[in-house]
Amino acid sequence: MDTIKITIDGIEVESPEGKTILEIALKAGKYIPHLCHHPDLVPTGECKLCVVEVEGIDGFPTSCNTPAADGMIVKTKSPAIDDARKQAMDKILVGHPPDCSTCSKYLNCELQSVRQYLGIGERLSSDGRVRMYPVNDDNPLFVHDPSRCIVCERCVRACRDLRGVGILFKKQNGDEFYIGTEKGLSLAESGCRFCGACAEVCPTGAIRDKDELVKGKNRKTALIPCRYTCPAEIDVPRYVRFILEKNYSAATAVIREKVPFPKILGYVCNHVCETQCRRGAVNEPIAIRDLKRFAAENDKERLWENNSKKKDPTGKKVAVIGSGPAGLTAAFYLAKQGHTVTVFESLPMAGGMLRYGIPEYRLPRDIIDSEIQQVENFGVEIKTDTRIGSIDTLFENGYNAVIAAVGTHQGQKLPIPGADSDGVFIGIEFLRDLNLGKKINIGKNVFVLGGGNVAFDCARAAVRLGAEKVQLACLECREDMPASCEEIKEGEEEGIIVHPSKSFIKILNENGIIKGVEFLDVESFCINDFNEFELNTISDSAHVIDADCVIFAIGQKPEIPEAFGIDLSDKKLIEVDEYTFTTNREGVFAAGDAVIGPSFVIQAIASGRKAAMAVDSFLGGDGLIDEELAPSLEVKCEIGLIDGFGTLPRREGACQLPEQRLQGFCEVVESMDEEAANSESKRCLQCDLRLKITPVKFWGDY
């Protein structure tokens, strides 16, 4: 490309042809004030702030849309230029609110910055008149505050030129100009794609994100919450985009860049990404978990496997105690780093809580088997029926590092009268025996104590084992129950009766046979300032509910042999350094539920990843386990209009009818079909496109 030379304030600057004076000046670090200009938008010169003097050109041309020519001599400062800019600013400030300090853009406002550069001081409105348009916060995600608008039309151009949507217009009401939609329709009615480009380019906060969505959050978490609230930071927008392109293998490869178990997560992930999804404010969140499952089940080309690398052998040996999601994740990544990894599992088959804590109707066993096989394919050796009693033995056998990922397999009972009666089960042991295929003599009238997912797993399993009546009680009120919404909904569909806000007093029995459970109604409970549990019950609310079998599902803790020689916290969890995952013993690390307490599969996987990075660094590696497994995708910033986009309904895997799923432990939720997956991926707001918009610089940055 040919280059030109121009002189700016006496300094010669070289630049490629085809640039404007403003572009060349800013690139050279020479600030020229501007507001209507944005580096990604076609310039208009509307604000008149970027005026300069050019030898041979009369008047004050606007530098943002004046092409530079070879030999041009430009002056950016003079008394006449300053006066012209101040006159332009006076026009912009007409009617603008005088108080900056109450604006959410305060100290991050381009208008405020340019005003300071021009030395105008605290005066904002040039004629004392203030526009008093009402703030419109009726739309999802964004606030429209027209009183702060300077009608630079950056939002209009971004909507039209960057995104190809074009629902915003410059409009006039008498002598006043403002930005609005056609006929004053809501954003959804107008066809808005809710991409956020308008808010991103707005220089004053006239269009901005709602405070509750961004305040106190870092930028990435606020704008792409699906990715950055995921414990493993899976690039959700990217794989959803691949699904929209019908490239399911590439979508799976994106998922596998962060986790080794996409199918498992497609069944049982607690999908915090969905609870934070910005689409949820428009109508319903994207069915991210179901899309993950669809992609993984339709991965025919297995791009991830072809693109995955395994480093040369390091000669270092790692022992992993426990074959749950954390242990297997750590083992997988350490094997790929070239280390020799052996996983020791005390139970007959690998999988930990995946296999022994989750009923088969939620997570089919062939799914577990297939994804564990992929871990073994990368060289991980798994020894089942092998209990490790001492870490010293592992070091004596030549292991250079050990990861304790033993999970939380020890259930708990409340110390209440009757807790040791026949017919009382501990939830996690009940599920383990069930998944081991042992015969369980369940009662006909079962009561589960607890309100989390484990409690509902126990209750729903009891129904499938033939219990005639299953009830569940918990301390929490209905709105605060820790179980997922779908577990509660599906459980109640299957006939489970839920009793929230109950305190468990005692289990009643006669001649060793359980007759019921006595409760008090709970008014409130909390952890007080002294870290003590504080429970307030309603007086005279004692009552008994009949039962002949009780299952405690109130929490779990790890079983850590004393011979491990590692420090435990007050909660009997393994104490580790939060950054290095090291325990008090040299070369001994820990991960998963044994460290963080009972958690979800994705949290355990994320913990396993971090432990793998720490162990690799300890063994002399670089600690870098991220890979690029998916092909690059040229992202189209122009997304265009979609009829009825704001009201497109959520599509997800169909849940079988209660009478069908209660026939046994068959799969409850079916996979999406291709039509549903593609329709659902089309609903994505593509929030990540916003971060591709060039950030603006303030004059202090030059």
Side-chain angles (χ1 to χ4, degrees), residues 354 357-365 431 434-435 457-458 461 665:
L354 297 173
I358 300 175
E360 189 169 6
Y361 64 82
R362 285 184 59 208
L363 181 58
R365 295 309 177 243
L431 292 173
L434 172 70
N435 289 314
D457 285 343
C458 292
F665 285 82

Side-chain angles (χ1 to χ4, degrees), residues 211-414:
D211 282 349
E212 61 266 26
L213 299 176
V214 297
K215 195 170 185 178
K217 301 177 183 177
N218 69 55
R219 180 169 164 78
K220 288 183 176 179
T221 301
L223 298 185
I224 318 177
C226 58
R227 178 175 184 178
Y228 292 103
T229 58
C230 170
E233 294 192 1
I234 299 172
D235 193 345
V236 175
R238 189 171 168 225
Y239 82 71
V240 171
R241 194 172 286 119
F242 272 123
I243 292 173
L244 185 59
E245 299 283 335
K246 298 189 177 183
N247 191 342
Y248 310 130
S249 188
T252 305
V254 171
I255 300 164
R256 279 191 171 270
E257 288 177 349
K258 293 293 186 180
V259 299
F261 308 121
K263 286 185 182 179
I264 289 172
L265 288 171
Y267 278 85
V268 298
C269 186
N270 64 312
H271 53 82
V272 65
C273 52
E274 292 185 27
T275 63
Q276 299 297 319
C277 174
R278 286 167 67 93
R279 173 82 205 202
V282 179
N283 60 348
E284 297 177 280
I286 303 297
I288 297 171
R289 182 180 64 189
D290 286 354
L291 286 173
K292 183 186 289 101
R293 174 177 167 183
F294 172 82
E297 290 179 343
N298 289 276
D299 178 12
K300 308 302 182 186
E301 292 81 15
R302 302 180 70 80
L303 284 172
W304 73 271
E305 200 165 22
N306 296 331
N307 295 334
S308 192
K309 302 289 190 297
K310 183 177 179 180
K311 294 183 179 179
D312 293 334
T314 63
K316 301 294 177 65
K317 293 174 61 180
V318 181
V320 178
I321 308 172
S323 70
L328 289 175
T329 297
F332 175 75
Y333 287 112
L334 286 168
K336 286 167 64 63
Q337 294 296 95
H339 307 303
T340 300
V341 185
T342 305
V343 177
F344 297 93
E345 171 56 56
S346 62
L347 289 166
M349 298 184 74
M353 283 294 182
L354 297 173
R355 188 180 299 276
Y356 297 108
I358 300 175
E360 189 169 6
Y361 64 82
R362 285 184 59 208
L363 181 58
R365 295 309 177 243
D366 62 319
I367 299 297
I368 301 174
D369 294 339
S370 66
E371 297 210 309
I372 291 178
Q373 183 61 55
Q374 295 299 328
V375 174
E376 293 180 295
N377 290 349
F378 276 86
V380 174
E381 181 184 11
I382 301 176
K383 294 185 176 182
T384 55
D385 283 319
T386 306
R387 181 176 292 275
I388 300 298
S390 169
I391 288 176
D392 292 336
T393 304
L394 296 173
F395 285 127
E396 290 166 4
N397 288 334
Y399 288 97
N400 305 103
V402 176
I403 299 177
V406 297
T408 50
H409 289 263
Q410 184 175 346
Q412 301 180 75
K413 290 193 294 188
L414 286 174

Side-chain angles (χ1 to χ4, degrees), residues 112-164:
Q112 185 184 30
S113 176
V114 173
R115 173 183 58 77
Q116 291 170 345
Y117 176 82
L118 295 177
I120 289 180
E122 294 302 319
R123 175 178 59 84
L124 278 182
S125 184
S126 62
D127 64 355
R129 177 169 55 89
V130 178
R131 291 191 300 265
M132 296 299 292
Y133 292 114
V135 175
N136 180 2
D137 60 1
D138 293 338
N139 289 298
L141 301 176
F142 307 111
V143 172
H144 185 204
D145 187 354
S147 296
R148 301 190 183 278
C149 181
I150 59 173
V151 201
C152 64
E153 296 187 69
R154 275 164 52 162
C155 58
V156 174
R157 286 175 282 153
C159 184
R160 180 189 64 221
D161 302 335
L162 286 185
R163 295 292 182 255

Side-chain angles (χ1 to χ4, degrees), residues 411-414 424-431 447-459 472-476 482-483 504 550-556:
Q412 301 180 75
K413 290 193 294 188
L414 286 174
V424 173
F425 295 85
I426 296 176
I428 199 64
E429 296 175 4
F430 169 80
L431 292 173
F447 219 115
V448 180
L449 306 183
N453 284 344
V454 172
F456 274 90
D457 285 343
C458 292
L472 179 149
C474 60
L475 285 173
E476 296 84 3
F504 324 132
V550 174
I551 302 175
F552 279 101
I554 58 167
Q556 301 135 235

